[in-house]
Amino acid sequence: MLVPILISAAMIAMPQGRGHDRGGPPGLAKKGGMPPGLAKKGGLPPGLAKKFGRRVPERPYIAVDPRYTDRAYFLIDGRWELRRGFSVDIQAEVRDTLRLAPVPPPVPLPRIGVDLHVVLFN
């Protein structure tokens, strides 16, 4: 009867693990604990950045139809271009853009019968 109590007391007193407490998951510890693309507040998420093509504009505008997360309009060379068929990861980035404050578009938006949510990433 005394043996189980001694074993329990020894287990409680033992240090639990040898983990590295660096403020986040091991893969993110080197990056300051922030996921890629979110290192700067307000930065353009990496999946959406790829949808601009080879060159991301200095002032990247994206217009999102609130009804759909699998598509968005990107302002490229003064024209709104529709990109669609987004993966689940990019759809999550689109949903996050809907939480950002809208900005006025620099050029007229496409007329699709719904108000688009325009966001400017710095």
Side-chain angles (χ1 to χ4, degrees), residues 58-69:
E58 192 173 309
R59 296 177 53 88
Y61 283 90
I62 297 176
V64 177
D65 183 341
R67 302 172 298 175
Y68 304 106
T69 58

Side-chain angles (χ1 to χ4, degrees), residues 2-15:
L2 186 58
V3 174
I5 294 173
L6 290 174
I7 292 174
S8 296
M11 295 288 284
I12 292 172
M14 288 178 61

Side-chain angles (χ1 to χ4, degrees), residues 27-109:
L28 298 179
K30 296 176 197 168
K31 299 177 178 106
M34 294 296 292
L38 299 178
K40 296 187 316 183
K41 185 178 180 185
L44 181 62
L48 291 174
K50 290 178 185 175
K51 294 297 180 182
F52 272 102
R54 290 185 176 189
R55 187 181 63 84
V56 176
E58 192 173 309
R59 296 177 53 88
Y61 283 90
I62 297 176
V64 177
D65 183 341
R67 302 172 298 175
Y68 304 106
T69 58
D70 67 336
R71 63 192 78 169
Y73 290 88
F74 295 80
L75 186 61
I76 301 172
D77 295 329
R79 288 185 17 228
W80 291 103
E81 294 188 18
L82 177 63
R83 305 275 198 251
R84 55 175 93 176
F86 295 164
S87 67
V88 174
D89 296 338
I90 298 176
Q91 288 184 35
E93 293 176 359
V94 169
R95 278 191 297 276
D96 289 342
T97 63
L98 289 170
R99 295 183 191 133
L100 299 174
V103 298
V107 297
L109 291 167

